[in-house]
Amino acid sequence: MKKLINSPEGVVADALAGIAAAHPGLKIDYANRVIYRGDSPVAGKVGLISGGGSGHEPLHGGFVGLGMLDAACAGEVFTSPTPDQMLAATKAVDGGAGVLHIVKNYTGDVMNFEMAAELAAAETGVAVKSIVVNDDVAVQDSLYTAGRRGVGLTVLLEKIVGAAAEQGRDLDSVADLAAKVNSLGRSMGMALTSCIVPAAGKPTFDLPDDQMEIGIGIHGEPGRHRVPLAPAKEIAAQLVEPILGDLDFTGAPAIVMLNGMGGSPLIELYVMYGEVKAILDKAGVPVARTLVGNYITSLEMAGCSVTVLKADDELLGLWDAPVSTPALRWGV
Amino acid sequence: MKKLINSPEGVVADALAGIAAAHPGLKIDYANRVIYRGDSPVAGKVGLISGGGSGHEPLHGGFVGLGMLDAACAGEVFTSPTPDQMLAATKAVDGGAGVLHIVKNYTGDVMNFEMAAELAAAETGVAVKSIVVNDDVAVQDSLYTAGRRGVGLTVLLEKIVGAAAEQGRDLDSVADLAAKVNSLGRSMGMALTSCIVPAAGKPTFDLPDDQMEIGIGIHGEPGRHRVPLAPAKEIAAQLVEPILGDLDFTGAPAIVMLNGMGGSPLIELYVMYGEVKAILDKAGVPVARTLVGNYITSLEMAGCSVTVLKADDELLGLWDAPVSTPALRWGV
């Protein structure tokens, strides 16, 4: 295992220290492993919290800041944070307007966020709503999930819902918007290689040199099928066609993310995006906004995922609104 | 070789198509493989051009846009662009105030940019000045270089000098500023793994599982020495100490970049940055601005580099000025 770490057991704490050092505008609660925007809680604003296992950076800590999340809870690598972490974050970000939990659909995350919401209600009376993101069209259930997994759409949802909260919308409105975004986005991913969880010290799975895994999740959990390596154009088709088959994306402006899984160089992600865009053009899906890069990763896994969100003027306006986080920043 | 590409020979053209699709604000000259900002040439503004081999993305194409480069010439992977490409770009970006060539110190790049400058002078009378960036403290000469290599500082220089050009400074002033930045910045890199050049199809070098290469360049060319794998804290010391030994960085605000070589996940880059920052704190180097991420890469190489720039109020002001490019964006 070749990694830039001090020890497998110290990775998450050391990364939090690095995030604190790099981004003095954020506040870190090391005991609870929560990253906060510096001015949290913001009075009168709905607080937005997400979190999950570490190893998907910049998700979620890299999306904390003005116009996006108020707090992100960091679990161990590929392990859900605890209800205690989520409860601490919920209390801390409440500015009097309630808190929305943004939860990727993985069994542990869902269970722990539910418990945190119950504890928050019982202990403090903070109003909490939740959105469970489930955009992955690859598999219906998986090793870690009942129903579809929550993957790349989480990034777009955090941006759009974050902008709405920043505008001062109330909790019901923000939660409704989150449900709307979730209903309109779809994702699909693939891997060329496995990743290595530091504590495990060896690849999560073996993938022969001439094969790739289509429909993989963000923890190296199995996907739809293993197929022979193929050119970028064919990979793009294998990712985009299931997405377009699941929802009619024609006739509305799309926000598209071509996401790297962590180990694929940007030159390859651009090659992939060119092929994805060509397919969308041919299918009559007008692309209005694009993100290409590593936004929700699986450690050093080589591969990529595609997310398409069927937007409208409201969603585009919220997308374009100012944001200032470590990983997404514009207008500020 | 597992890559998200259509063919080894098509990588650069396909990536340019993807960049064009993702960033409609840029213009692409496919014949010359030059990426331009959409409003180029900007009348009265000094034009800034850089370029080099592909495989270092987002450098340079990802830094084209308002407040940074006017154009970037893309060579084949790890191969200098030709003088013809650079000449075409020089002519195209001239807004009447002359053109600055930003050249990383690699023999091919230096030679070809010199030839392009001579051709531009002879054919068109466009005033051209050049800055050759040579910030790598690892080695004095290398396989591809006379003198020190030009590496991570190029990113910071393009940002700072780009802001100065945007302010309307004249060519002499912009070139002087570039020389100032170059004199005040130092870098050092390391690799855990090799990369694979698509046309070669196999790793550029072999690095045993228990070793790392310190002082490596951005093409997999050898560095200072191979040493046993070490914890992040020791790797940080091996990178930062040669930098601090080469220039006195105390007492001035530093701009620091912790750069990933392309294949290392962001969680590891943050672990590394935490260690780098601790060393700088101890050495009395006050860090004023930070970048952590993949900015000048070596395909899918795992590893990182550190760049430290000794700044002042002028440089910090230019750093903070608005920028709008695919890879760096703020204030717009």
Side-chain angles (χ1 to χ4, degrees):
Chain A
M1 176 175 63
K2 300 185 106 172
K3 288 186 178 286
L4 301 168
I5 62 176
N6 287 308
S7 67
E9 59 282 4
V11 171
V12 175
D14 289 352
L16 283 175
I19 289 169
H23 307 291
L26 301 177
K27 294 185 295 194
I28 313 276
D29 171 354
Y30 289 100
N32 284 303
R33 295 191 172 178
V34 182
I35 302 171
Y36 293 100
R37 58 187 271 186
D39 58 352
S40 166
V42 181
K45 189 184 91 66
V46 171
L48 298 189
I49 294 178
S50 194
S54 294
H56 306 302
E57 291 69 23
L59 190 86
H60 296 275
F63 300 129
V64 174
L66 184 141
M68 224 162 155
L69 297 178
D70 292 82
C73 306
E76 280 300 320
V77 172
F78 293 177
T79 303
S80 178
T82 64
D84 280 355
Q85 293 176 265
M86 298 163 180
L87 177 62
T90 303
K91 289 179 187 172
V93 306
D94 180 45
V99 175
L100 180 73
H101 289 173
I102 299 174
V103 187
K104 299 193 298 302
N105 190 31
Y106 283 93
T107 308
D109 289 352
V110 171
M111 196 173 64
N112 291 353
F113 267 112
E114 274 175 9
M115 197 174 303
E118 285 166 19
L119 290 169
E123 283 186 27
T124 66
V126 175
V128 175
K129 291 203 157 196
S130 296
I131 175 72
V132 177
V133 185
N134 60 350
D135 54 312
D136 190 343
V137 301
V139 291
Q140 183 53 38
D141 299 305
S142 84
L143 211 52
Y144 307 103
T145 331
R148 288 180 167 181
R149 299 175 295 212
V151 289
L153 183 62
T154 315
V155 176
L156 309 191
L157 189 147
E158 289 176 358
K159 168 67 186 84
I160 289 168
V161 173
E166 205 70 48
Q167 289 179 345
R169 296 199 197 177
D170 67 21
L171 182 59
D172 284 342
S173 163
V174 166
D176 288 349
L177 176 69
K180 171 180 169 180
V181 171
N182 187 51
S183 73
L184 293 171
R186 299 291 187 275
S187 296
M188 176 103 170
M190 59 77 61
L192 293 174
T193 66
S194 177
C195 55
I196 298 178
V197 175
K202 58 185 176 56
T204 304
F205 59 95
D206 289 313
L207 199 50
D209 277 353
D210 57 352
Q211 288 185 27
M212 58 185 181
E213 177 96 27
I214 300 289
I216 200 146
I218 56 173
H219 308 93
E221 65 270 33
R224 286 192 171 191
H225 43 231
R226 289 184 175 191
V227 295
L229 271 186
K233 188 185 179 80
E234 288 175 31
I235 297 172
Q238 293 192 44
L239 297 180
V240 176
E241 282 167 10
I243 290 173
L244 299 186
D246 203 74
L247 185 70
D248 179 6
F249 283 94
T250 57
I255 302 176
V256 180
M257 177 170 73
L258 190 295
N259 172 64
M261 301 303 284
S264 283
L266 190 55
I267 191 170
E268 296 181 23
L269 302 184
Y270 275 117
V271 170
M272 282 300 304
Y273 183 68
E275 300 299 343
V276 166
K277 176 67 158 50
I279 296 171
L280 294 173
D281 285 349
K282 205 166 172 181
V285 179
V287 179
R289 302 290 185 276
T290 309
L291 274 184
V292 178
N294 293 309
Y295 293 102
I296 170 172
T297 62
S298 186
L299 294 167
E300 74 277 60
M301 183 185 284
C304 68
S305 65
V306 176
T307 297
V308 186
L309 172 62
K310 185 172 184 170
D312 55 21
D313 286 348
E314 178 195 25
L315 300 191
L316 291 181
L318 292 166
W319 180 259
D320 292 339
V323 61
S324 181
T325 71
L328 277 190
R329 184 173 169 192
W330 56 69
V332 194
Chain B
M1 176 176 63
K2 298 184 107 172
K3 287 185 178 287
L4 302 168
I5 62 175
N6 287 308
S7 66
E9 59 281 5
V11 172
V12 176
D14 289 351
L16 283 175
I19 290 169
H23 307 292
L26 301 177
K27 293 184 297 193
I28 312 276
D29 171 355
Y30 289 100
N32 284 304
R33 296 191 171 179
V34 182
I35 301 170
Y36 293 101
R37 59 188 270 186
D39 59 352
S40 167
V42 181
K45 188 184 90 68
V46 171
L48 298 189
I49 294 177
S50 193
S54 294
H56 306 301
E57 291 69 24
L59 190 86
H60 297 274
F63 300 129
V64 174
L66 182 140
M68 223 163 154
L69 297 178
D70 291 83
C73 306
E76 280 300 320
V77 172
F78 293 177
T79 303
S80 177
T82 63
D84 280 356
Q85 293 176 265
M86 299 162 179
L87 176 63
T90 303
K91 289 179 187 170
V93 305
D94 181 46
V99 175
L100 181 73
H101 288 173
I102 299 174
V103 187
K104 299 192 300 300
N105 190 30
Y106 282 94
T107 309
D109 289 351
V110 171
M111 196 174 64
N112 290 352
F113 267 112
E114 274 176 8
M115 197 174 303
E118 285 166 20
L119 290 168
E123 283 186 25
T124 66
V126 176
V128 175
K129 291 202 157 198
S130 296
I131 176 72
V132 176
V133 185
N134 60 351
D135 53 312
D136 190 344
V137 301
V139 291
Q140 183 53 38
D141 299 305
S142 83
L143 212 52
Y144 306 103
T145 332
R148 288 179 166 182
R149 298 175 295 211
V151 289
L153 183 63
T154 314
V155 176
L156 310 191
L157 189 147
E158 290 177 358
K159 169 65 186 84
I160 290 169
V161 173
E166 205 71 47
Q167 289 179 345
R169 295 199 198 177
D170 67 21
L171 182 58
D172 283 343
S173 163
V174 167
D176 288 349
L177 176 70
K180 172 181 168 180
V181 171
N182 187 50
S183 73
L184 293 172
R186 300 289 188 276
S187 297
M188 177 102 169
M190 60 78 60
L192 293 174
T193 66
S194 177
C195 55
I196 298 178
V197 175
K202 59 185 176 56
T204 304
F205 58 94
D206 289 313
L207 197 51
D209 276 352
D210 58 351
Q211 289 185 27
M212 58 185 181
E213 177 97 28
I214 300 288
I216 200 144
I218 54 174
H219 308 92
E221 65 270 33
R224 285 191 171 191
H225 44 230
R226 288 182 176 191
V227 296
L229 272 186
K233 189 184 177 78
E234 289 176 29
I235 296 172
Q238 294 192 45
L239 297 180
V240 176
E241 282 168 9
I243 290 172
L244 299 186
D246 202 74
L247 185 69
D248 179 4
F249 282 94
T250 57
I255 302 176
V256 180
M257 177 170 73
L258 190 296
N259 172 63
M261 301 303 283
S264 283
L266 190 55
I267 191 171
E268 296 181 23
L269 302 183
Y270 275 117
V271 170
M272 282 300 305
Y273 182 68
E275 300 299 343
V276 165
K277 176 67 159 48
I279 296 171
L280 294 173
D281 285 349
K282 206 166 172 182
V285 179
V287 179
R289 301 290 185 278
T290 308
L291 273 184
V292 178
N294 293 308
Y295 293 103
I296 170 171
T297 62
S298 187
L299 294 168
E300 74 278 59
M301 184 185 282
C304 68
S305 64
V306 176
T307 297
V308 186
L309 171 62
K310 185 173 185 169
D312 56 21
D313 286 347
E314 179 196 25
L315 300 191
L316 291 181
L318 293 166
W319 179 259
D320 292 338
V323 62
S324 182
T325 71
L328 276 191
R329 183 172 169 193
W330 55 69
V332 194

